[in-house]
Amino acid sequence: MNKLVSVVIPAFNEAESLVVIIDRLEKVFNNTNYDVEFILVDDGSKDKTLSILKTMAKVKTNLFYIEFSRNFGHQLALKAGLDKANGDCVISLDADLQHPPELIIDMLAKWEEGYDVVYTRRQEDKTLPYRKRKSSIWFYKLLNALSSIDIEQGTADFRLMDRKVVDVFRDFEENEPFVRGLVKWMGFQQVAIDYLPSKRYAGSSKYNLKKMMHFALHGVTSFSIRPLYTAVYLGFIFSVLSILYVPYVLYAFCNHIEVDGWASTIMTIVFFGGLQLIILGIIGIYIGKMFMQTKNRPNYIIKSTNLY
Ligand code: UDP
Ligand code: MG
C-alpha cells in the first residue's frame, strides 16, 4: 500500500491559479510512489473559485473541496483543511504558486528521514515590493522580540506535517489560530528547507498593510503576555523618572522661580496620554481575546463539501 499524502490549499479568489497549481502538483506526484489527495478550501471567494473546484472534483476522484459560508481568513481555511485531511502526512501551500510545488519532493524526502515537521524558509525575494519585504522582516523581528517563541524569518504556511502532529493540531480550539506559531510551539522533530519564492501566478495579494498589521499584533498577543509586562516596566521607568523631577520642582517652588510651563506641560500630557492609550489597547486586546474565546463559537462554518 502506498502512503497517502494530503495537500491542503486555502483559496480566496484564486480562480486563475487553481487549474495550474493542481496540474503542477500532479506532475510532481506522478514521479513518486505516493497516493495523493487534494483538499481545497474555498474561503468565501467572490469569483469562480468554487465552480472551478466543483468541475475539477467531477473528473478527479482525489480532489475535494470545502466551501466556507463566508470568508473566515487564511489561517482558519488552513485549519479546516488540516482538520479534514486523511493523509499519512499533510502538506499545505498557497494557491498562488508562490510556493513552488516541486519543493515537495525534498520535503517528502526529509519526512522519510524521520522528521515530523518540514517547514520552509523563504529566501529574500528581490522582486517583491520593498514595503512587503521590509514589513515581513519587521514582522518576524517584532514577533520574536515580543513573544516567547522563535519563528524564523520567512517561514510561511508552506510545510509538511506528519499525521501525529496533525492529530494534535486538530484538537486546538483557538479562536484565531496563528498556525506557524502553533506548529513551532508544538515541538516534535522539525527541519527547515530554503527556497526561492516564485511570483504570484495571478490575482493579487490578499494581505494589505492593515491586514498585515493585524496579523502581527495578533501573532504576538496570541503567543505571549509579554506586552503586558512591557507595559508594567514602562510605567515603572516613567514613575522613577518623575520622582527624579521632584527635587527640581521643590527647588523652583522654594525659590519662587516663575516658570512658563505651557510647552512642557502640554508635551507631557500628550505623551503620557498616548502611552496610556497604547497600554489600555494592549490590555484590551487580551480581554477581547478572552471574550471571543469564551463564546465558544465554531471557528469556521462549512457550507458544502464533497468530502466523505
Ligand atoms: N487566503 C485565504 N483567505 C483569505 C486570504 C488569503 O484563504 O482571507 C489564501 C490565498 O488564496 C492564498 C493564501 O491564503 O492561497 C495566501 O494569501 P496571499 O497569497 O494573498 O498572501 P501573501 O502571499 O501575499 O502573503
Ligand atoms: Mg501569496
Side-chain angles (χ1 to χ4, degrees):
M1 260 270 283
N2 290 341
K3 289 182 186 168
L4 176 68
V5 177
S6 305
V7 177
V8 170
I9 307 175
F12 177 51
N13 296 341
E14 303 282 7
E16 291 104 319
S17 317
L18 292 174
V19 173
V20 185
I21 190 166
I22 296 298
D23 192 52
R24 292 254 306 261
L25 283 163
E26 277 177 339
K27 286 209 178 87
V28 169
F29 279 96
N30 278 343
N31 298 322
T32 66
N33 294 323
Y34 298 101
D35 288 337
V36 60
E37 63 168 12
F38 300 109
I39 298 180
L40 289 106
V41 185
D42 170 36
D43 188 11
S45 299
K46 298 265 184 291
D47 65 355
K48 291 209 167 70
T49 298
L50 185 70
S51 62
I52 291 174
L53 289 179
K54 283 184 170 163
T55 317
M56 284 204 283
K58 275 193 196 124
V59 280
K60 298 183 199 295
T61 49
N62 63 342
L63 191 144
F64 306 98
Y65 64 85
I66 295 171
E67 181 196 5
F68 273 3
S69 62
R70 63 168 170 85
N71 178 263
F72 278 92
H74 177 197
Q75 301 291 292
L76 282 169
L78 197 62
K79 176 81 167 45
L82 289 168
D83 288 348
K84 303 289 180 209
N86 283 303
D88 297 298
C89 73
V90 183
I91 295 170
S92 56
L93 74 167
D94 287 358
D96 57 8
L97 288 161
Q98 279 181 318
H99 300 157
E102 291 70 29
L103 200 72
I104 288 178
I105 299 288
D106 300 340
M107 295 164 85
L108 288 166
K110 286 282 178 208
W111 176 53
E112 292 291 355
E113 278 175 31
Y115 290 101
D116 304 311
V117 175
V118 185
Y119 62 97
T120 60
R121 270 188 310 227
R122 180 185 60 221
Q123 303 200 307
E124 197 174 338
D125 178 5
K126 300 271 186 273
T127 61
L128 234 67
Y130 180 81
R131 204 191 61 193
K132 176 107 192 169
R133 261 188 293 154
K134 282 290 168 250
S135 62
S136 155
I137 289 174
W138 277 102
F139 172 71
Y140 290 101
K141 280 214 169 110
L142 184 78
L143 196 67
N144 292 335
L146 289 174
S147 62
S148 26
I149 40 159
D150 242 340
I151 300 181
E152 283 162 77
Q153 176 72 43
T155 49
D157 290 309
F158 181 23
R159 74 173 74 75
L160 178 151
M161 291 157 86
D162 186 77
R163 173 86 263 149
K164 56 177 176 286
V165 183
V166 178
D167 282 343
V168 176
F169 188 67
R170 264 186 188 169
D171 292 335
F172 285 23
E173 302 241 320
E174 282 193 38
N175 189 249
E176 253 188 288
F178 182 60
V179 181
R180 63 195 72 167
L182 289 170
V183 171
K184 182 88 197 188
W185 177 86
M186 275 196 278
F188 293 94
Q189 286 270 65
Q190 308 208 359
V191 67
I193 300 185
D194 290 319
Y195 73 99
L196 263 177
S198 322
K199 272 216 182 64
R200 199 173 219 292
Y201 179 74
S204 59
S205 171
K206 278 42 181 206
Y207 281 95
N208 51 26
L209 197 63
K210 191 173 150 215
K211 259 192 168 176
M212 277 192 283
M213 279 275 284
H214 175 82
F215 196 58
L217 262 181
H218 167 64
V220 170
T221 50
S222 62
F223 266 89
S224 88
I225 50 170
R226 208 178 275 178
L228 292 175
Y229 286 90
T230 313
V232 174
Y233 286 123
L234 269 180
F236 190 68
I237 290 169
F238 281 109
S239 308
V240 170
L241 283 180
S242 66
I243 289 172
L244 295 180
Y245 199 57
V246 169
Y248 171 73
V249 174
L250 285 178
Y251 170 82
F253 178 74
C254 294
N255 291 289
H256 304 291
I257 298 176
E258 296 296 332
V259 256
D260 293 333
W262 186 78
S264 58
T265 310
I266 293 292
M267 296 251 275
T268 315
I269 290 174
V270 169
F271 177 76
F272 284 100
L275 193 69
Q276 280 167 357
L277 280 182
I278 291 173
I279 290 172
L280 258 182
I282 292 175
I283 300 171
I285 290 177
Y286 286 99
I287 297 179
K289 286 195 175 205
M290 287 197 283
F291 172 68
M292 293 309 286
Q293 195 72 44
T294 49
K295 289 202 271 204
N296 240 333
R297 282 192 198 149
N299 287 336
Y300 53 81
I301 300 168
I302 294 177
K303 186 169 163 195
S304 77
T305 172
N306 66 335
L307 272 163
Y308 14 88

